[in-house]
Amino acid sequence: MILDVLPGAGMQRHLLDVDALSRTEVDNVLDLAVKMREARATRSSRSLLEAETVGLAFYEASTRTRVSFELAAKALGATVVDLNVASSSVGKGESLVDTVRTLERTGITTLVLRHSAAGAPYLVARCTGIAIVNAGDGMHAHPTQALLDALTLREALGPLDGRVIAIVGDVEHSRVARSNLHTLVTLGARVRLGGPAAWVRGFEGHPGIDVVTNIQDALVGADAVMSLRVQLERSASGGISSIREYIEHWRLDEARMRLAAPNAPILHPGPTNEGVELTSDLANGPRSLIGRQVENGVPVRMAALALVTGAA
Ligand code: NCD
């Protein structure tokens, strides 16, 4: 079936990463998301997950991802519980696995998990019997973000075959970039990773991926450009000498974007540090698809929840 089935985890479906998805499977999720957008607008999806209880456990900060998962689950008619990690027994030292086992006993059937440790969703998928949807694990993966980015790009550019998508900035610390690499290459695009040398190291030599270390090479002729947040909380400053220098060499603005294909759109997963990785004018100007990315979050997460629960 379409999503990861872990060895030893029976037939339970999870969405842990996008790396195992074929092109047809990615296309199917995106097609389902388009149907979900329509179903949400007409309120015809309201009984699809009425037997399900979806838990949200966010061990790291989140606005877009958490809110859109909650709205997605509600649009499908599920009962939704937000664990509210800061005020839960996690503060008393309860382990992640014990916490999820407790949630399972209360009747939660699907858990949306964000965690600072790469691999945390895999661990709980092995140790518990509930469906796990990865909402971002450390620097490893952010599958639903990659799927919503792919939908946004597909709707802006048409089929992505042969298109050049530049991902610019703090690639090293970005789970969004790692998941996007998989889906974009799977959909036939060429991905150009651009950033200070320390932030793009190790990505060379992969099929479909080019690595560049200056902004001109990153942008020239690109069909779309994805800017990434400088992740200071993950010691991002380790790879650059100063934010001021980063701004000088890498901040995206309208003048630099003219190197890209005419009208090439700009994307960013958010939250943005306007003035650091891109200018406010660019983030809020006519090229920007940043709002569209947020809008696509709900239908893509509706599709993900419907698929892991077997409702679609
Ligand atoms: C991203 C994340 O948390 O991985 N944000 C998001 O989910 N939209 C990117 C980031 O924090 O920079």
Side-chain angles (χ1 to χ4, degrees):
M1 223 6 245
I2 176 154
L3 300 171
D4 266 350
V5 178
L6 287 168
M11 288 311 291
Q12 183 59 64
R13 286 191 282 184
H14 308 281
L15 178 56
L16 302 175
D17 199 355
V18 281
D19 58 354
L21 299 185
S22 68
R23 182 175 185 149
T24 310
E25 289 169 334
V26 173
D27 275 327
N28 286 346
V29 181
L30 304 189
D31 293 344
L32 182 60
V34 172
K35 289 192 192 119
M36 289 295 180
R37 180 160 58 204
E38 177 67 22
R40 183 184 183 213
T42 57
R43 302 173 76 83
S44 57
S45 54
R46 298 235 144 213
S47 55
L48 219 51
L49 292 197
E50 68 187 358
E52 300 286 332
T53 304
V54 175
L56 307 175
F58 280 70
Y59 287 71
E60 275 192 341
S62 175
T63 301
R64 297 153 190 75
T65 308
R66 188 177 45 78
V67 170
S68 59
F69 265 115
E70 178 168 352
L71 290 175
K74 286 179 173 165
L76 294 166
T79 301
V80 184
V81 180
D82 189 338
L83 173 62
N84 206 338
V85 170
S87 60
S88 71
S89 289
V90 170
K92 298 177 181 171
E94 190 164 47
S95 74
L96 174 63
V97 169
D98 282 347
T99 300
V100 179
R101 284 189 179 136
T102 302
L103 296 177
E104 186 175 8
R105 293 276 180 168
T106 66
I108 283 176
T109 51
T110 301
L111 185 70
V112 178
L113 177 66
R114 169 169 287 192
H115 203 280
S116 57
Y122 291 77
L123 174 71
V124 293
R126 283 201 171 82
C127 296
T128 68
I130 61 182
I132 304 297
V133 180
N134 182 2
D137 61 326
M139 303 190 311
H140 173 242
H142 195 345
T144 56
Q145 181 71 40
L147 291 164
L148 76 87
D149 289 340
L151 179 62
T152 307
L153 283 165
R154 193 177 84 167
E155 293 187 329
L157 302 178
L160 298 183
D161 300 88
R163 298 297 206 142
V164 175
I165 314 296
I167 301 181
V168 175
D170 185 3
V171 177
E172 159 78 3
H173 300 93
S174 177
R175 55 193 173 207
V176 173
R178 282 187 182 76
S179 287
N180 262 301
L181 286 178
H182 287 294
T183 48
L184 296 176
V185 171
T186 300
L187 292 173
R190 257 207 105 72
V191 178
R192 202 184 278 163
L193 295 178
W199 287 355
V200 289
R201 195 172 293 143
F203 291 95
E204 309 87 353
H206 291 279
I209 298 174
D210 299 305
V211 174
V212 295
T213 53
N214 75 69
I215 188 78
Q216 288 79 17
D217 291 345
L219 297 182
V220 71
D223 293 298
V225 179
M226 185 179 297
S227 173
L228 298 173
R229 188 171 64 84
V230 175
Q231 305 218 0
L232 293 170
E233 81 276 23
R234 298 191 207 278
S235 316
S237 55
I240 54 168
S241 40
S242 71
I243 289 290
R244 188 186 308 172
E245 194 179 306
Y246 180 81
I247 291 172
E248 187 188 329
H249 294 293
W250 287 99
R251 182 175 65 187
L252 295 167
D253 58 19
E254 184 53 40
R256 284 179 164 161
M257 284 296 289
R258 285 192 209 111
L259 290 168
N263 304 320
I266 179 85
L267 293 88
H268 191 302
T272 54
N273 293 314
E274 285 180 12
V276 178
E277 62 260 8
L278 79 175
T279 59
S280 174
D281 284 355
L282 190 58
N284 299 297
R287 290 181 188 271
S288 178
L289 292 178
I290 299 171
R292 195 77 193 125
Q293 288 171 275
V294 176
E295 286 167 18
N296 282 337
V298 177
V300 163
R301 290 172 175 127
M302 288 170 76
L305 290 170
L307 287 164
V308 294
T309 55

